[in-house]
Amino acid sequence: MTIPRAAYPAPFNTTRSSHVVLRVKDIAASRAFYVDAMGFIVSDEDKNALYLRGIEEACHHSLVLKKTTGSPVCERIGMRVYTEEDLEKAKHYFERAGLQAKWAESPFQGKTLHVSDIIGAPLEFCATMDTKPRLVVQFKHHHGACPQRIDHFQIISPDVQRACEFYSGLGFRLSEYIAVDDTDELLFVFLQRKGNPHDIVFANGPGPRLHHAAFSVPDASHILQACDIAGAFGYGNRLEFGPGRHGPAHALFVYFRDPDGHRIELFTTHYQMMDIENEPVRWDLSYMRNRPWGFPARKSWFEEASRFLDVELREPVKKSHPMTLERFLVEERP
Ligand SMILES: [Fe+2]
């Protein structure tokens, strides 16, 4: 295996991860979790949908919740491109690659392109959205964990190498990766366009499935505040992992499961990665058992994730045996 390198110049200019569309059973329950407890800002809502953004975001939405009577799946993940010309280039690129790309209408967004990536994850690209006031210094609107902006998605992929090659072909740069010790067998890849460590992450496992959408918060105190507020609102048992410190990208994090089981990460601290000579940071898999501090994630964090709408699940090319909290407590007990 070789570590993929980003296509340069990119075939079209993807600028960042933009939004995620989740289906939920009960809009009121989702509103209580995301707005009242977590602190997201409502951009628009009706009885069937909730459009949310963070306090720094001037674009209309980064989190869309749609009511469903079916399964609470992920409909799509959204990426931004710079101009509509990039959208046209993207359509041609995907069609030449044998992927069906079609124009779609999405509320509050400009021209939107739907396509599924090489592992079957449904994407949408747009160049513009309606705008809303940026509330970064409108402190009366700050509450809960004060989510600032969407940062990245993590997808569970049945073929991490293939996903990495595909996104590298779109111009995504590998910032960090986890590989089996003494090999280049990729288990986690962290890819970015916007100049920090991640826009999209792929982890090995049955998929494609959405593992989480991640939102930055202002500082470490907001991670603890999120936990306190979640507990006060009765969501203490929805805290799945953390607070803790990741090795890759060094983020301070906490993960919650929403009322439908969708997972979000709140995190703070990321570094810049723009300069072309920067090589990706490698982590050996054995890091997972030798973390500087803190425990590994519980089994559910590794195994459970949101299905994508109407997308078949495939078993991974490589079976992995992650260092779960449960395994760690048995194998590492003194
Ligand atoms: Fe993450």
Side-chain angles (χ1 to χ4, degrees):
M1 292 291 182
T2 54
I3 305 299
R5 297 196 74 87
Y8 179 79
F12 56 92
N13 187 3
T14 307
T15 54
R16 63 178 177 90
S17 49
S18 164
H19 57 282
V20 61
V21 184
L22 301 175
R23 292 196 175 181
V24 299
K25 293 272 197 191
D26 181 340
I27 289 284
S30 297
R31 196 185 198 288
F33 176 79
Y34 283 107
V35 178
D36 299 343
M38 294 291 121
F40 283 85
I41 305 296
V42 178
S43 289
D44 267 288
E45 63 183 319
D46 60 35
K47 66 181 184 353
N48 291 317
L50 198 48
Y51 290 82
L52 306 179
R53 72 187 192 280
I55 56 167
E56 279 192 7
E57 290 176 311
C59 291
H60 185 273
H61 52 264
S62 55
L63 176 57
V64 181
L65 304 164
K66 291 185 180 175
K67 183 176 168 55
T68 182
T69 53
S71 301
V73 295
C74 175
E75 211 173 275
R76 260 168 215 286
I77 58 172
M79 297 277 182
R80 286 291 293 263
V81 294
Y82 198 53
T83 64
E84 290 205 354
E85 190 183 344
D86 289 302
L87 281 179
E88 298 285 350
K89 288 181 183 172
K91 188 167 191 293
H92 291 136
Y93 178 88
F94 291 128
E95 286 171 347
R96 278 199 306 276
L99 298 170
Q100 194 186 14
K102 58 177 194 269
W103 300 118
E105 296 286 327
S106 283
F108 311 108
Q109 293 175 200
K111 196 171 184 179
T112 298
L113 184 66
H114 282 181
V115 68
S116 292
D117 73 10
I118 202 71
I119 60 162
L123 310 177
E124 68 178 28
F125 292 83
C126 64
T128 58
M129 262 189 199
D130 291 359
T131 56
K132 286 284 193 179
R134 203 187 290 276
L135 301 176
V136 65
V137 293
Q138 306 298 317
F139 296 105
K140 66 182 179 185
H141 295 288
H142 293 199
H143 65 290
C146 292
Q148 295 170 298
R149 59 188 179 276
I150 194 164
D151 185 78
H152 63 269
F153 311 111
Q154 183 166 313
I155 309 292
I156 300 185
S157 169
D159 190 337
V160 172
Q161 176 77 26
R162 196 160 185 231
C164 189
E165 287 168 2
F166 177 79
Y167 281 86
S168 298
L170 302 186
F172 282 71
R173 289 180 63 195
L174 191 62
S175 59
E176 309 206 9
Y177 63 96
I178 302 174
V180 176
D181 293 32
D182 304 319
T183 78
D184 283 336
E185 195 178 311
L186 298 173
L187 296 175
F188 268 81
V189 292
F190 304 81
L191 293 148
Q192 63 88 13
R193 281 293 297 173
K194 68 179 174 299
N196 78 351
H198 325 332
D199 279 291
I200 193 162
V201 177
F202 291 94
N204 188 57
R209 290 178 295 161
L210 175 70
H211 185 269
H212 67 265
F215 297 85
S216 69
V217 298
D219 58 32
S221 71
H222 287 81
I223 298 283
L224 298 178
Q225 186 166 313
C227 299
D228 283 336
I229 291 173
F233 275 80
Y235 300 119
N237 62 357
R238 312 301 294 177
L239 194 165
E240 187 183 41
F241 182 28
R245 176 77 80 184
H246 283 310
H250 196 58
L252 195 66
F253 66 85
V254 65
Y255 292 86
F256 289 99
R257 305 291 292 273
D258 82 0
D260 291 276
H262 300 302
R263 183 182 290 106
I264 61 161
E265 177 185 19
L266 302 175
F267 81 97
T268 187
T269 69
H270 257 174
Y271 58 86
Q272 290 185 340
M273 188 191 176
M274 289 112 175
D275 304 321
I276 201 161
E277 73 274 25
N278 289 172
E279 291 296 324
V281 176
R282 178 199 165 91
W283 297 81
D284 284 334
L285 180 61
S286 55
Y287 158 79
M288 306 290 266
R289 111 181 8 246
N290 299 316
R291 301 161 66 89
W293 60 271
F295 291 108
R298 67 178 77 167
K299 195 163 173 271
S300 64
W301 187 91
F302 287 98
E303 295 185 354
E304 296 174 11
S306 301
R307 292 282 299 267
F308 285 111
L309 178 65
D310 298 332
V311 176
E312 199 177 320
L313 206 61
R314 284 183 290 123
E315 286 301 310
V317 175
K318 296 164 188 148
K319 294 283 180 204
S320 58
H321 184 42
M323 178 51 69
T324 63
L325 175 63
E326 291 84 346
R327 189 180 149 202
F328 180 85
L329 291 174
V330 170
E331 295 181 14
E332 303 294 322
R333 195 164 61 183

